[in-house]
């Protein structure tokens, strides 16, 4: 089959631009693969995961309620779960030591036991909401008819990373994606930047909520300090990049401009700001700023917004993120011509992301028949569900992602998950992928026709070698596992 055939282009559209082909999807894209992708770009943004999912405000209020109940329980002498666990471990150690006798655990009254159980249930409820978020998102990825739109949204969520590495950010990571990212992924980059920077999840994850100017009223009276995390990550990761030539002084001045950007607590409920973004003038560092050669007057909350405006419009931001998009969609070492196309589209449109998305689809470099991208664990698992036309039904079905190195909602740093093969195509990683493929195929394999699944999920990308191996397998589960572990399924 000719490399530039519509069949091959349709397979590339579904597997490289999208999240893997569902049954019948490559056929649907075949008449005009580019038009099929462009039709998925829409001003209203990406689709939202379905279900009764709480907003960030409700999650933060529930967490605040839990912490208040925990504080009161501790004051009442209730042995909290972590303390009980530590005490049990200490007693076990004493019992195993010659000459030592373990002390009997302190008895709790029935009321105290009920209170401890209530706290445990309360915390579990808050945490389970995060699991429900991830499951709903994975189900969307497995079922959507617009997987290019979904991949585009996932790119921006990873670009503006918020990680569930601590409880207060864990409970709002999913809402952050739904509230700040998804509605704006085809709008202006500046709007996406501002929305992510002012969302409670980002402010809490990067410790911005309590950052105070040393010379502000709150900084002097409450002894709060300046935190540079958000300023540094906006400059280094979200916009111009570490090689843009800014200095530590620029970071510090930007951090001072950001002071006051915070999250409302229970005491702010009367003003309607509890659990929401709140500008606290009392902790904003007064004075003008000079950042990357530009001067910003003493304008309070608007000072940092002016900095964000200039960072969003900076050509270095366009070039850096255009390269990052090219890496994500096409190759770890992308063609410079592709990066230039995306950067030019970005600058000419004023950072309109729908225009950039269309430029990506129309770029000839993005349609190279060689599959150069190695799927991340999440991409692999979701594409497996899509290939078989099924969805995960409970969070346990996605627990394998932790073993594969991509724990749900938990990238190890603000850099987000890696997009490069070297970080995923390790010997240990491949062995664990094989374990997943076997387990998944044991459950799903009997329900599908592996030969038909191979053809519908890979189309013209299916090699004769893989097709033969699948057809000759001794069982359906074995055949499906061979397909999932084939080079063309592992790459996109």
């Amino acid at each position: 089959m000719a490399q530039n055939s519509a069949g091959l282009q349709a397979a590339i559209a579904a597997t490289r631009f999208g999240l893997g082909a569902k049954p019948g999807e490559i056929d649907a894209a075949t008449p005009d693969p580019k038009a099929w992708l462009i039709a998925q770009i829409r001003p209203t943004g990406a689709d939202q995961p379905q279900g009764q999912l709480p907003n960030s405000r409700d999650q933060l209020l529930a967490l605040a309620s839990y912490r208040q109940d925990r504080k009161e329980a501790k004051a009442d002498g209730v042995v909290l779960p972590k303390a009980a666990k530590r005490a049990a471990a200490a007693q076990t150690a004493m019992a195993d030591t010659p000459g030592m006798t373990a002390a009997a655990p302190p008895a709790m009254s029935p009321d105290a036991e009920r209170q401890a159980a209530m706290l445990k249930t309360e915390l579990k409820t808050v945490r389970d909401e995060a699991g429900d978020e991830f499951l709903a998102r994975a189900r969307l990825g497995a079922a959507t008819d617009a997987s290019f739109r979904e991949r585009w949204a996932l790119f921006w969520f990873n670009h503006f990373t918020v990680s569930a590495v601590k409880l207060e950010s864990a409970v709002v990571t999913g809402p952050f994606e739904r509230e700040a990212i998804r509605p704006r992924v085809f709008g202006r980059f500046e709007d996406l930047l501002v929305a992510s920077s002012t969302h409670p999840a980002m402010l809490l994850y990067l410790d911005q909520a309590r950052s105070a100017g040393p010379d502000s009223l709150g900084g002097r009276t409450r002894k709060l300090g300046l935190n540079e995390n958000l300023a540094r990550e906006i400059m280094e990761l979200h916009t111009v990049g570490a090689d843009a030539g800014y200095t530590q002084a620029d970071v510090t001045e930007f951090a001072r401009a950001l002071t006051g950007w915070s999250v409302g607590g229970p005491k702010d409920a009367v003003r309607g700001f509890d659990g929401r973004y709140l500008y606290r003038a009392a902790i904003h560092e007064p004075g003008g700023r000079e950042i990357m050669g530009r001067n910003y007057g003493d304008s309070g909350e608007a000072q940092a917004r002016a900095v964000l405006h200039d960072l969003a419009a900076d050509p270095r931001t366009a070039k850096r993120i255009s390269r990052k998009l090219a890496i994500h969609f096409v190759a770890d070492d992308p063609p410079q011509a592709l990066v230039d196309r995306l950067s030019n589209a970005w600058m000419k449109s004023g950072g309109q992301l729908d225009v950039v998305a269309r430029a990506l689809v129309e770029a000839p470099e993005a349609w190279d028949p060689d599959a150069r991208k190695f799927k991340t664990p999440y991409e692999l698992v979701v594409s497996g569900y899509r290939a078989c036309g099924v969805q995960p039904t409970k969070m346990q079905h996605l627990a394998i992602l932790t073993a594969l190195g991509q724990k749900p909602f938990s990238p190890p740093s603000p850099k987000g998950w890696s997009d490069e093969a070297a970080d995923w195509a390790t010997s240990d990683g491949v062995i664990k992928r094989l374990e997943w493929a076997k387990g998944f195929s044991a459950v799903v394999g009997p329900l599908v026709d592996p030969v038909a699944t191979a053809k519908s999920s890979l189309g013209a990308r299916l090699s004769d070698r893989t097709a033969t191996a699948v057809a000759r397998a001794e069982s359906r589960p074995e055949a499906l596992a061979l397909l999932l572990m084939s080079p063309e399924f592992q790459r996109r």
Side-chain angles (χ1 to χ4, degrees):
M1 185 175 289
Q3 285 191 337
N4 63 351
S5 70
L8 179 57
Q9 286 200 330
I12 292 172
T15 60
R16 177 178 301 162
F17 289 85
L19 293 170
K22 298 194 304 177
E25 194 166 46
I26 291 177
D27 290 340
T30 297
D32 192 336
K34 290 184 180 180
W36 181 75
L37 291 171
I38 290 171
Q40 298 180 37
I41 302 170
R42 63 182 190 186
T44 52
D47 305 279
Q48 294 285 7
Q50 297 301 299
Q52 305 239 332
L53 304 173
N55 58 40
S56 57
R57 176 178 178 270
D58 289 344
Q59 282 291 80
L60 289 174
L61 292 181
L63 179 59
S65 176
Y66 162 75
R67 284 176 166 167
Q68 181 60 33
D69 291 344
R70 187 176 186 277
K71 182 179 179 181
E72 292 173 0
K74 192 172 182 181
D76 292 341
V78 175
V79 179
L80 301 176
K82 281 189 177 180
K85 194 182 235 183
R86 287 194 298 268
Q91 289 159 17
T92 301
M94 290 177 67
D96 292 342
T97 303
M100 299 291 288
T101 302
M108 284 198 296
S109 68
D111 284 346
E113 288 181 351
R114 281 194 294 272
Q115 200 170 0
M118 180 197 71
L119 281 171
K120 187 175 181 180
T121 301
E122 196 174 355
L123 180 59
K124 183 177 183 299
T125 300
V126 173
R127 284 178 165 161
D128 283 351
E129 295 285 2
D132 292 343
E133 285 275 2
F134 193 83
L135 175 60
R137 189 239 254 173
R139 286 175 60 82
L140 170 60
T144 182
D145 292 326
S147 64
F148 171 49
R149 186 158 67 224
E150 180 65 7
R151 175 178 288 285
W152 186 262
L154 295 176
F155 169 86
W156 289 107
F157 177 60
N158 193 55
H159 180 75
F160 293 105
T161 288
V162 167
S163 179
V165 292
K166 50 188 178 183
L167 185 57
E168 62 184 2
S169 60
V171 301
V172 288
T173 299
F176 168 73
E177 181 181 330
R178 287 188 285 111
E179 296 164 0
I181 305 300
R182 287 181 176 271
R184 299 172 179 84
V185 294
F186 293 119
R188 289 196 315 156
F189 173 74
E190 182 179 345
D191 294 337
L192 186 55
L193 176 62
V194 172
S196 65
S197 302
T198 55
H199 193 278
M202 186 70 76
L203 297 171
L204 292 169
Y205 173 53
L206 295 178
D207 304 311
Q208 174 63 34
R210 290 177 59 82
S211 179
D215 295 325
S216 67
L217 177 62
R220 293 195 307 268
T221 59
R222 297 168 59 190
K223 296 182 179 178
L224 298 174
L226 181 70
N227 190 294
E228 298 182 353
N229 289 351
L230 180 59
R232 179 174 292 104
E233 306 310 356
I234 287 175
M235 298 177 80
E236 179 179 338
L237 301 177
H238 301 168
T239 60
V240 293
D243 58 354
Y246 60 81
T247 66
Q248 175 56 42
D250 291 320
V251 174
T252 301
E253 285 299 286
F254 186 23
R256 288 171 176 160
L258 284 165
T259 52
W261 288 33
S262 187
V263 180
K267 293 181 180 179
D268 301 298
V270 67
R271 294 186 290 161
F273 285 108
D274 51 331
R276 298 182 174 92
Y277 166 75
L278 173 63
Y279 174 68
R280 300 183 186 277
I283 59 173
H284 177 72
E285 179 73 357
R289 316 258 88 87
E290 182 181 339
I291 301 168
M292 296 182 68
R294 292 178 178 267
N295 293 311
Y296 299 91
D298 188 357
S299 54
E301 180 183 13
Q303 188 177 63
R305 289 182 182 269
V307 180
L308 290 179
H309 171 79
D310 288 340
L311 289 172
D314 195 304
R316 290 167 290 191
T317 295
K319 290 178 181 178
R320 179 177 173 275
I321 301 180
S322 292
R323 177 173 174 78
K324 191 173 179 180
L325 280 165
I327 289 173
H328 176 81
F329 280 93
V330 178
D332 291 355
D333 184 17
Q336 186 58 44
L338 174 60
V339 177
D340 292 342
R341 287 180 194 274
L342 299 180
S343 182
N344 290 337
W346 183 301
M347 293 303 298
K348 288 179 180 179
S349 68
Q352 279 294 141
L353 299 181
D354 56 341
V355 174
V356 178
R358 185 168 186 136
L360 173 67
V361 171
E362 294 176 341
E365 299 86 0
W367 296 87
D368 187 322
D370 292 336
R372 302 184 187 278
K373 293 300 300 182
F374 190 75
K375 292 178 181 177
T376 67
Y378 182 78
E379 292 169 349
L380 175 64
V381 171
V382 169
S383 65
Y385 278 105
R386 289 182 66 81
C388 297
V390 296
Q391 298 178 50
T393 57
K394 52 187 177 181
M395 190 59 191
Q396 288 91 322
H397 293 159
L398 303 170
I400 186 63
L401 288 170
T402 299
L404 291 171
Q406 200 170 16
K407 183 178 178 180
F409 283 153
S410 301
S413 79
K415 290 182 179 180
W417 296 113
S418 171
D419 240 341
E420 299 186 8
D423 294 306
W424 301 114
T426 63
S427 55
D428 181 64
V430 171
I431 290 171
K432 288 177 178 175
R433 286 173 183 238
L434 177 58
E435 292 172 355
W436 165 77
K438 289 179 178 178
F440 180 84
S441 299
V443 176
V444 179
L447 308 177
V448 301
D449 177 350
V451 173
T453 299
K455 292 177 180 177
S456 66
S457 65
L458 292 172
R461 290 188 57 228
L462 178 65
S463 68
D464 291 340
R465 181 177 180 180
T466 296
T468 300
V470 170
R472 292 179 177 176
E474 295 184 358
S475 66
R476 287 190 172 193
E478 180 183 325
L480 181 58
L482 287 170
L483 169 64
L484 297 176
M485 289 304 296
S486 66
E488 56 265 49
F489 197 90
Q490 291 282 324
R491 291 186 175 273
R492 56 177 182 82

